[in-house]
Amino acid sequence: MKKGFLLAAAGAALMCSSALAMAQASDGVLTIATIGEPPTLDVMQTPTDIVLTIDQHIFETLYTYDQQWKSVPLLAADMPTISEDGLEYRIPLREGVKFHDGSDFDSKDVVASLKRWTEINSKGKQVAEIIENMSEDGDHAVIIKLKSRYAPLLATLSQASVIIPSETVEDTLTQFIGTGPYALKERKPDQYTQLVRFEDYKSPEGEPSNYAGKREAIAKELHFVPVPDANTRVEGLISGQFDFADSLPVSAYERIEASDKAKPVIFENSGWASLNMNMKEGPLVKKELRQAVQAALNASDMMLAAFSDDRFYTVDGSIFPNGSFWHTEAGVARYGEGDPEAAAKLLEEAGYDGTPIRLMTSRQYEFHYKIGEVAKAYLEASGFKVDLQVVDWATLTTRRADPKEWDIFITHSNFPGDPTTINTITDTYPGWYVSDQKAKAVADYMEATTDEAKQKAWEGIQTVIYEDAPLYKVGNFNALTGLANSVEGYTPTYWPHFWNVTPAK
């Protein structure tokens, strides 16, 4: 081992934990149909849903999200100890955790991994600006010193900031070694990603709660199979080819329900759909044109086209859904049924010259494509010229990184535990939303120390988002997936996970 011997007590605990896991382990395989091929398995580089879905089985973070989307310990042993001035976080680490290569997890790995995260990840780069330094405090704790208060620190440490062995840290990963319940065995692009049970996995304690609590690798293997066509995913599920099929069209609900091999699974308020606009290059650099896009669009028609049945969506201008702590109508403007006259006036004021707006979408998420078709019609009715570009998801995520390649792209996001972790708020996220008033509103949030102060500050951020118009929120949706009848223990989550899941016998 690279880091010495475990204490005898820790070793005994690990053996007991492994024995308990093996008692319930299965030789079965779960075959999971995903929406397409992940562009990478380096989640720090590309934290898209498909990458996060697969990677969460391989890699782990210091903290993760529980059922209320609060950050709770995963590789951390406890919540951090925070200094009175709010600038120093001491994070204790769990002991006895191993990487897939057999080496021991410790503070050196954490510091090396988080430094890489601050250098290459969009949210990590944002956090890097306020980090004074990160250091080891013995083998089982790290200290993060901040230049200023940063309210969402734990939330940002709960996603994509995965911990890898310090020896494998490099700009472009060539080894994919984590601490998760499954290890990468083989990846054949456009065919499958094969994960195998990590027999020496040490689970966190507690009842399962969203991504928190006990994680048991019951299935011997997980096979993630890219199936870009949604109807093919449905057919494969019904025929018994797949144990789970992700992101299915809502029109398939009754057909799956009538199947003798599978059942439909709904995850409510799975997320929200948006049209994200390019503020760095192209015609939409002008705020008036972005506001014209807002004014032109009809949220109800786009969501109806995308989901067919109002059981599967709600139209709400608040970025967070009704019932959420963060739900507010503050600042909502130019949202609703579409106002072509108001949009045309904004076009005239901005001096729109007829340059086509390149609207990029993908059929791998069928609802993205349908939203794009309706958006195109409403934008053209208001005076825009629109070039609708339909590409595969991997191409979209690559192309959106180049500001010369697009003007609007369609995506969807979950509802995070901390509102400032929304992708669009990050300066470096594609769209490159940078403004003085956004910076001030976010700064006010970062200084907040109570839930009430955070809530008020978030109202200010949402108001600024509507004014600056970096995006158009379309609406909230429930996700439809499908599960084989013989599979047990699956609980719907935003990024589907398959620990604690028993495959068919």
Side-chain angles (χ1 to χ4, degrees):
M1 301 298 175
K2 65 179 179 179
K3 301 159 187 167
F5 298 101
L6 298 175
L7 295 174
L14 178 61
M15 291 173 62
C16 291
S17 175
S18 296
L20 178 62
M22 289 302 295
Q24 300 185 40
S26 161
D27 289 332
V29 175
L30 289 171
T31 302
I32 301 144
T34 67
I35 60 97
E37 176 66 18
T40 178
L41 290 182
D42 185 353
V43 70
M44 286 193 193
Q45 290 276 15
T46 309
T48 55
D49 284 343
I50 180 60
V51 180
L52 283 159
T53 294
I54 297 174
D55 272 24
Q56 65 184 331
H57 299 84
I58 306 171
F59 305 105
E60 295 179 317
T61 48
L62 292 177
Y63 295 91
T64 192
Y65 300 116
D66 70 5
Q67 196 63 43
Q68 295 181 316
W69 286 88
K70 293 181 179 178
S71 293
V72 296
L74 180 52
L75 285 175
D78 204 341
M79 298 302 284
T81 301
I82 305 174
S83 61
E84 288 188 11
D85 60 8
L87 300 181
E88 182 175 295
Y89 287 63
R90 184 184 184 277
I91 301 174
L93 306 177
R94 289 170 54 208
E95 300 183 35
V97 174
K98 289 183 177 294
F99 287 104
H100 300 151
D101 62 359
S103 61
D104 301 317
F105 158 79
D106 67 13
S107 57
K108 183 178 179 182
D109 304 308
V110 174
V111 172
S113 299
L114 294 185
K115 283 184 177 177
R116 181 178 189 264
W117 174 68
T118 60
E119 291 168 357
I120 69 170
N121 180 264
S122 58
K123 288 187 174 68
K125 289 178 181 178
Q126 185 179 18
V127 177
E129 296 177 3
I130 54 91
I131 290 179
E132 183 71 39
N133 61 66
M134 294 183 289
S135 61
E136 304 163 33
D137 184 15
D139 289 340
H140 304 298
V142 294
I143 293 176
I144 301 176
K145 292 185 177 180
L146 307 178
K147 299 174 185 176
S148 58
R149 288 184 179 182
Y150 191 72
L153 180 62
L154 295 190
T156 59
L157 291 176
S158 301
Q159 180 182 325
S161 55
V162 297
I163 308 304
I164 59 179
S166 57
E167 292 86 350
T168 67
V169 171
E170 51 189 336
D171 291 342
T172 301
L173 288 186
T174 56
Q175 301 179 70
F176 298 89
I177 299 170
T179 59
Y182 289 90
L184 176 66
K185 181 174 182 181
E186 185 177 25
R187 180 188 176 198
K188 287 195 173 183
D190 299 317
Q191 295 184 51
Y192 60 81
T193 300
Q194 180 186 14
L195 309 186
V196 295
R197 182 168 57 221
F198 178 40
E199 303 293 356
D200 288 330
Y201 178 67
K202 185 172 183 179
S203 172
E205 297 179 352
E207 289 297 315
S209 175
N210 205 14
Y211 303 101
K214 177 185 176 184
R215 296 181 170 195
E216 184 179 0
I218 299 174
K220 184 177 181 180
E221 295 186 7
L222 305 179
H223 293 177
F224 292 91
V225 181
V227 185
D229 182 74
N231 291 324
T232 304
R233 294 197 294 277
V234 172
E235 295 303 321
L237 177 71
I238 291 174
S239 70
Q241 180 183 0
F242 306 132
D243 295 297
F244 178 87
D246 198 13
S247 191
L248 302 180
V250 296
S251 58
Y253 184 93
E254 282 76 13
R255 187 151 179 260
I256 299 169
E257 191 175 38
S259 165
D260 61 353
K261 288 190 170 124
K263 56 191 173 188
V265 178
I266 291 179
F267 178 58
E268 293 186 357
N269 284 326
S270 171
W272 53 290
S274 64
L275 284 76
N276 289 45
M277 295 182 253
N278 188 343
M279 294 179 59
K280 194 171 188 179
E281 294 194 31
L284 297 184
V285 167
K286 291 185 177 180
K287 181 168 71 173
E288 293 80 7
L289 288 187
R290 299 195 304 273
Q291 291 182 342
V293 170
Q294 290 178 320
L297 296 174
N298 183 306
S300 296
D301 282 0
M302 286 189 286
M303 292 301 285
L304 180 61
F307 297 100
S308 306
D309 187 326
D310 61 11
R311 289 180 301 172
F312 295 100
Y313 72 88
T314 55
V315 174
D316 184 357
S318 171
I319 291 178
F320 283 82
N322 190 27
S324 164
F325 177 77
W326 304 108
H327 183 272
T328 176
E329 296 296 328
V332 175
R334 295 173 298 281
Y335 179 84
E337 303 307 301
D339 188 340
E341 291 183 3
K345 183 178 179 182
L346 286 164
L347 287 177
E348 183 180 357
E349 291 174 355
Y352 177 58
D353 62 5
T355 299
I357 302 299
R358 295 163 297 176
L359 174 56
M360 190 165 56
T361 191
S362 170
R363 294 203 79 146
Q364 282 166 268
Y365 291 107
E366 186 68 12
F367 70 98
H368 288 193
Y369 172 71
K370 292 178 177 179
I371 286 172
E373 285 190 308
V374 177
K376 179 177 185 291
Y378 273 94
L379 290 170
E380 288 178 339
S382 296
F384 282 103
K385 290 184 179 179
V386 180
D387 174 15
L388 183 63
Q389 300 181 356
V390 183
V391 298
D392 63 83
W393 185 246
T395 298
L396 186 149
T397 58
T398 300
R399 191 180 292 179
R400 73 184 183 184
D402 185 348
K404 294 181 172 60
E405 291 290 318
W406 61 278
D407 299 303
I408 300 174
F409 73 86
I410 295 173
T411 190
H412 67 275
S413 306
N414 69 321
F415 297 105
D418 190 289
T420 58
T421 63
I422 292 172
N423 284 331
T424 303
I425 292 177
T426 305
D427 292 356
T428 55
Y429 183 74
W432 302 278
Y433 175 25
V434 178
S435 81
D436 290 341
Q437 60 177 355
K438 184 201 80 169
K440 182 181 184 305
V442 171
D444 289 343
Y445 181 91
M446 297 304 168
E447 288 293 320
T449 56
T450 66
D451 284 346
E452 292 75 13
K454 286 183 180 181
Q455 190 175 54
K456 183 176 181 180
W458 164 241
E459 291 178 354
I461 294 174
Q462 180 170 286
T463 299
V464 167
I465 288 174
Y466 267 93
E467 173 62 23
D468 285 337
L471 58 78
Y472 180 89
K473 182 197 170 177
V474 187
N476 307 328
F477 60 85
N478 301 334
L480 177 65
T481 59
L483 186 72
N485 286 332
S486 55
V487 173
E488 299 177 354
Y490 175 75
T491 301
T493 50
Y494 179 76
W495 299 291
H497 66 269
F498 300 95
W499 56 81
N500 302 337
V501 177
T502 303
K505 295 181 176 60

